[in-house]
Amino acid sequence: MKITDITLTVVGIPRHTGFVNKHIIVKIYSDEGIVGIGEMSDFSHLPRYAPDVEDLTNVLKSFLIGENPFDIMKLNQELSGNFPEAMYYYEKGSFIRNGVDVALYDLCAKYLGISVADMLGGRIREKIKVCYPIFRMRFMEEVEENVEVIRQRLHQGFDTFRLYVGKNIDADEAFLAAVKSEFGNEVKIKSLDFSHLLDWKSTLQAVKRLTKYDLGLEMIESPAFANDYEGLHHIRMRTDYPISEHVWSTKHQYEMIKHDSVDIFNISPIFIGGLTAAKRAAAVAEVARKSVILGTTQELSIGTASMAHLGANLVNLNYTSDPTGPELYIGDVVKNRIQYQNGYLHVPDRNVPGLGIELDENLIETYRVKDLSWGNVSVHQLQDRTAQTK
């Protein structure tokens, strides 16, 4: 089997908040008539630069066309050579590598008539516990809005939530107090995500304030400045809660292991550059006797399905994971959206080859946009994922 072509289609899909996220849908064509699909997720994020899609398509064609898609390791080397790893988890090169890598797995698994999970090592689970995100509050007026999100999502079966904190600790505390008062043990806040906003000492002070509400906390996420491995170690030694951090490069994971910085590696194909890299990072974590969770940048169903297949076979996936992206959008580009039931992400049917996800060309046309340009979007809107200005 040989690769004959690759196409990239940009779509812009609004979240329920009104913010429009732009993604690239990848199609890799083969001489067997089989098409693999992937997703370069969420280019609408800091830093505010994005590739020229026509130029990117030509670059990918230059080293993919004519290749055997089963040479996944070789093609990942080409991807890494053209789009090298960086030390920042929103760097766009990893988004590009991920979209192509996932499409390769989908193509090869379809050819073999097996699921992507089977290509990755089979299954030890058919569903993955996930949480719904509660986005960061800057003002006290946002507390009640987020409590209402809890009410709505609890009704839909989500009983576990991840809380972004650190901009307004008073609002964070007020929110936790309100949740505890109204829902008691019915709702679980699985993590406090500081997103590198504070230094580790300031985070430790905030943690002492926010953890007095017994809501089933599993972990503290990103509680130091980015790449501050010593800071992560310091706070890890001073709190009883496990510390979690994203993995966005091989070097980054090495440094965290070297400094014994974390208990849980947050691994997402989009941030580390594909299923191949994510599987390797999970294996490294296992050797280091660390747990993992599946992270997210709030993907659509294609990207989320790839994570479900990955999570199906990870032996050290010991905590609640994050991929609930499709629930945040008003639409998608597939005929069969990824399924959530009672707070679990369900792995696609093993009997459906590939990712188990089928594109809907009509929906792609509905959401198709010209390019990845930004328009009139403020930094706060990018960080909080709120509605774009008119």
Side-chain angles (χ1 to χ4, degrees), residues 3-44:
I3 296 172
T4 58
D5 201 5
I6 180 170
T7 62
L8 307 179
T9 303
V10 184
V11 295
I13 302 186
R15 293 189 179 195
H16 292 292
T17 62
F19 186 89
V20 178
N21 284 75
K22 293 185 178 181
H23 315 261
I24 293 179
I25 306 304
V26 181
K27 293 182 184 178
I28 296 181
Y29 297 82
S30 72
D31 58 1
E32 294 285 343
I34 302 171
V35 180
I37 61 172
E39 179 185 314
M40 301 176 187
S41 312
D42 194 7
F43 277 91
S44 303

Side-chain angles (χ1 to χ4, degrees), residues 237-277:
M237 294 296 101
R238 289 166 172 80
T239 179
D240 292 333
Y241 295 97
I243 299 300
S244 173
E245 183 58 279
H246 297 271
V247 179
W248 49 77
S249 74
T250 303
K251 171 68 171 175
H252 184 239
Q253 186 175 26
Y254 166 78
E255 291 292 343
M256 286 191 285
I257 293 173
K258 176 181 175 181
H259 290 86
D260 202 14
S261 297
V262 301
D263 303 284
I264 306 164
F265 286 113
N266 184 315
I267 296 175
S268 176
I270 190 68
F271 291 145
I272 200 168
L275 290 170
T276 301

Side-chain angles (χ1 to χ4, degrees), residues 4 27 155 164 204 265 279-280 318:
T4 58
K27 293 182 184 178
H155 180 71
Y164 287 89
L204 187 60
F265 286 113
K279 182 74 173 178
R280 181 171 58 243
N318 302 321

Side-chain angles (χ1 to χ4, degrees), residues 143-158:
V143 170
E144 176 54 32
E145 296 175 11
N146 276 338
V147 173
E148 179 58 27
V149 172
I150 296 276
R151 297 187 188 107
Q152 293 175 6
R153 293 298 174 172
L154 183 61
H155 180 71
Q156 295 173 359
F158 291 99

Side-chain angles (χ1 to χ4, degrees), residues 162-179:
R162 172 168 56 116
L163 179 62
Y164 287 89
V165 296
K167 278 293 182 181
N168 186 331
I169 303 300
D170 291 336
D172 298 335
E173 185 171 5
F175 171 80
L176 291 170
V179 170

Side-chain angles (χ1 to χ4, degrees), residues 373-385:
S373 60
W374 292 89
N376 185 23
V377 184
S378 71
V379 171
H380 285 175
Q381 288 170 322
L382 293 176
Q383 292 175 333
D384 297 342
R385 321 309 262 166

